[in-house]
Every structure is written in C-alpha cells, then in structure tokens.
Amino acid sequence: MSTEIRERFGPFSWPGGLFNPTDVAQAGVPTRRLINVWRTGERWVLAIEQGVRGYHISVVALDVETDRNCVRQSEKRTVFPGDLCATVADVLAGRVP
C-alpha cells in the first residue's frame, strides 16, 4: 500500500519526519507529511499535512478492491487540525458531511 500512496500523492515524509510546513521551503524536503493511516475493512483513511502555501490537512479515503487488484480514491476532505479526529471517524464510517 505504501507504493500506491507514494504514486498517488508524491513524495512525503513519514509521521514525525521533516517537511516544509511554511512558505520558507528547504530544498529537497517534502511538502507533505503523513500524519497517520487508519483501516476498517477495505477502506484505508490517510491524514496528510500539506505545507508551503496554505498549510492544511487532507483526509483521504482509499477503497481497496481486492478482487480487481484496484485502489480507488473515494473521498477527500480538507480539514483544520481541531477537526481531524471527527473527520477521520466520519470518513471511516462512510458518513457524508
């Protein structure tokens, strides 16, 4: 799954790793950092920090279709840090905002 994530979202830093959170970017340092990954059944939910201009967090749902060997992005929400836990819970449960 980590290969699939990198192909979809480009280079990123692992949780707690170095990344560019502000407009002052260091060369060679990713602009994204993975916060965490959750899984329920065939749904994987990722929280990814996006830095440089307009810092935000994206919560992305990937649905894995094992019979077709396919991963499909089913949802993406932009959230603020205080809303992260509630948003992840909603996405995992399939609740629509």
Side-chain angles (χ1 to χ4, degrees):
M1 183 59 119
S2 64
T3 301
E4 177 73 31
I5 294 169
R6 285 198 186 276
E7 287 175 5
R8 286 181 182 269
F9 304 107
F12 61 87
S13 177
W14 292 105
L18 185 63
F19 87 117
N20 285 310
T22 66
D23 290 354
V24 181
Q26 292 178 309
V29 176
T31 59
R32 293 178 192 88
R33 177 170 60 187
L34 186 66
I35 296 173
N36 206 343
V37 177
W38 299 264
R39 180 180 174 205
T40 181
E42 299 306 319
R43 174 165 279 200
W44 294 70
V45 176
L46 293 76
I48 302 169
E49 291 177 284
Q50 174 67 52
V52 186
R53 293 194 179 153
Y55 172 88
H56 64 278
I57 298 171
S58 294
V59 174
V60 180
L62 300 175
D63 292 329
V64 179
E65 299 175 19
T66 53
D67 58 332
R68 290 192 220 153
N69 198 20
C70 174
V71 176
R72 161 179 80 78
Q73 182 176 316
S74 59
E75 190 168 352
K76 182 177 179 183
R77 298 186 195 181
T78 300
V79 299
F80 295 103
D83 300 327
L84 179 60
C85 292
T87 301
V88 168
D90 285 347
V91 173
L92 281 169
R95 291 189 289 265
V96 178

